[in-house]
Amino acid sequence: MGSMPTPPAETALPKPWVETPLVFSAPLSRQVGCNIYLKLENVQPSGSFKSRGIGNMMLQSLLSSPPSSPDEQTQFLCSSGGNAGLACATTALSFPNAKAIIVVPLSTSPFMIAKLQELGGVNGSVEVVQAGESWVEADTYLREELLAKSEPGVRKVYVPPFDHPDVWTGASSLVDELVQQFPVDKKMDAVVCNVGGGGLVNGICQGIERHLKTLGARPKVLAIETVGADSLYQSVQAGKLVTLPAITSIATSLGARTVSNKTWEWACSYGEKQKDFISSTVTDREAARACLRFLDDARIMVEVSCGATLAPAYNGTLKELLGKDLTEEEWKEKNVVLVVCGGSNVSWEILEKYKQVFDL
C-alpha cells in the first residue's frame, strides 16, 4: 500500500481534486445517537468523489507518459453518462491540450447529457457520443470504434469508471485527509460509503490500511447499496462474486452489475470478515427520503446514490449495523464518518419527482 502520489513540483499539471471539509453534524448526531461527521465530497470540481479517482488516473497517465511533442493531443475516453464521465470531462478541462470523449448509452438522461455538453462548451475540449442501450454496449463502442483507431498527433487513454489501481489510489486520498482532519481526541470508529463498481470503497480500505498505525485501530467500513443495484450485497450473501441480471434501482450511479474483483477481495479480507467490513442495502424510497431530509438538515442537495449512504442514519438502522452489541452509553461515544459523495444527477425537479413517486 504505497503512499499517495503527488505531481512533481516541476510539472505544471494541477491536482484534479481538492481537499474537502470534514464537519460535525449536530442534526444527524441527534438522530443517530452518536457522533456523526460528514466528509463533503460534493464540493469536488466535478461535484462528486470521482474527481479523486478519475482525476488521479488521468494525472498519472500524463506523468508516466508525457506528450511526445507540444502539439500532441491527449484524448481521454470514458464510457459513463454519470459522475465518472463528469469527472473525466472536468479533469480534461484542467490539462493542457487534452480532450475528453464521453460515450454514454442511449438510456442516459437528457439532464446528464446536458451537463456534459455544457462542459464541452467551455473550450470545445469535451465531446459527448451516444451509443448502445446499456453501459456495456457504450463501452464496447468506445473500445472498438474510438479507442482502437489511431489518429495522427493524438494519444488515446482509456479511463475506466472504477476498476483501476490509480482510481483506487486517488480515492484513498480521502482517508489521508480524514487522518489529518479528525479531532485529535476522537477515534474514528467507522466510515460509511456507497458502492457502485467499488472504486470508492476500494480507496477507503486502501487508505485505512496505509494509515492503520496512526489510526490505532481499524475503523469499520459500512458499504451501502440500493436494492436493485446491490451486486456486492448479493455477492456477500452468496459467498462468491455475483453478476446481477439487470439494474432496477433508480440509483443509476450505483449501476454496476458486478463489483470489481478488488472490491470482492476487500469484502473478504478487510479486518475480521463480516465484522469490520459490512455490506448492507436500503430501498430506493429510503435513499430518496434521505436526500430530502439531508437537504433540510444540511442545506446540501445530493443525488439518490449519495442518499443511500445517508439512509441508515435516517431510517434508524445505523446502530444495528455498526453497534448492535453496544449499550446506548457506549454507542453515544462512537464517531462515524458518512462520505457525502455528492453526485450531479439531482435537481429540484428530480427531488420533487421522488416526493411524488414515493409519497414522501
Side-chain angles (χ1 to χ4, degrees):
M1 307 291 178
S3 60
M4 180 65 207
T6 56
E10 65 270 16
T11 70
L13 297 176
K15 188 176 74 171
W17 66 92
V18 299
E19 179 176 332
T20 60
L22 178 71
V23 298
F24 175 76
S25 172
L28 277 170
S29 297
R30 287 194 299 269
Q31 175 83 20
V32 172
C34 72
N35 300 312
I36 298 294
Y37 294 85
L38 305 173
K39 184 60 170 163
L40 300 180
E41 290 297 285
N42 58 296
V43 302
Q44 290 291 353
S46 68
S48 83
F49 73 96
K50 290 285 188 181
S51 286
R52 294 183 187 270
I54 298 294
N56 184 60
M57 187 268 164
M58 294 168 67
L59 175 62
Q60 297 307 319
S61 74
L62 289 175
L63 293 177
S64 61
S65 180
S68 58
S69 72
D71 296 328
E72 183 181 68
Q73 183 187 70
T74 302
Q75 284 186 2
F76 294 101
L77 295 96
C78 182
S79 54
S80 168
N83 295 310
L86 283 166
C88 178
T90 304
T91 300
L93 290 173
S94 68
F95 291 154
N97 210 17
K99 179 177 181 177
I101 299 179
I102 313 301
V103 182
V104 304
L106 297 172
S107 58
T108 304
S109 70
F111 179 76
M112 292 301 289
I113 291 174
K115 280 184 172 290
L116 288 164
Q117 290 174 332
E118 286 168 7
L119 286 172
V122 174
N123 60 8
S125 62
V126 178
E127 179 182 349
V128 183
V129 177
Q130 286 188 276
E133 296 297 329
S134 68
W135 173 80
V136 173
E137 292 171 345
D139 189 64
T140 299
Y141 177 85
L142 183 155
R143 291 172 179 272
E144 295 180 354
E145 299 297 326
L146 302 180
L147 192 63
K149 296 179 179 178
S150 61
E151 298 178 42
V154 174
R155 182 172 71 102
K156 298 187 178 184
V157 178
Y158 176 64
V159 181
F162 57 85
D163 199 357
H164 193 282
D166 287 340
V167 171
W168 313 329
T169 298
S172 76
S173 65
L174 184 150
V175 181
D176 298 341
E177 294 173 17
L178 285 177
V179 169
Q180 296 297 319
Q181 295 170 328
F182 216 74
V184 294
D185 60 335
K186 303 284 187 180
K187 180 171 74 74
M188 195 188 323
D189 295 296
V191 180
V192 185
C193 69
N194 64 28
V195 177
L200 177 58
V201 74
N202 290 356
I204 287 173
C205 292
Q206 179 177 319
I208 287 173
E209 293 300 318
R210 185 165 66 239
H211 291 285
L212 197 54
K213 184 175 180 180
T214 301
L215 291 168
R218 181 180 285 105
K220 293 182 179 181
V221 171
L222 173 56
I224 301 293
E225 298 165 291
T226 49
V227 175
D230 52 347
S231 54
L232 176 60
Y233 181 78
Q234 294 298 332
S235 298
V236 170
Q237 297 304 304
K240 62 180 181 180
L241 196 58
V242 167
T243 298
L244 299 178
I247 299 298
T248 58
S249 168
I250 62 171
T252 53
S253 293
L254 305 182
R257 291 172 56 212
T258 309
V259 294
S260 72
N261 287 327
K262 188 63 178 179
T263 307
W264 178 237
E265 288 178 18
W266 279 120
C268 295
S269 64
Y270 179 88
E272 296 184 38
K273 185 183 176 184
Q274 300 295 312
K275 179 182 177 183
D276 293 330
F277 189 107
I278 304 158
S279 172
S280 188
T281 61
V282 297
T283 64
D284 282 348
R285 185 179 191 277
E286 289 173 313
R289 179 173 177 268
C291 291
L292 294 166
R293 292 283 303 274
F294 192 63
L295 182 58
D296 283 341
D297 287 340
R299 300 297 187 264
I300 296 174
M301 186 182 292
V302 294
E303 69 174 46
V304 70
S305 59
C306 184
T309 305
L310 302 167
Y314 285 115
N315 66 14
T317 61
L318 194 66
K319 183 179 185 300
E320 176 67 19
L321 291 166
L322 293 176
K324 62 181 178 181
D325 297 326
L326 301 178
T327 66
E328 293 300 324
E329 285 300 310
E330 290 171 330
W331 174 245
K332 184 172 67 174
E333 299 302 317
K334 295 300 178 181
N335 305 292
V336 178
V337 175
L338 304 183
V339 179
V340 182
C341 64
S344 296
N345 193 21
V346 63
S347 66
W348 289 112
E349 290 77 14
I350 290 173
L351 292 182
E352 282 296 325
K353 181 180 177 181
Y354 291 158
K355 289 176 68 174
Q356 295 172 12
V357 170
F358 296 112
D359 191 26
L360 298 171

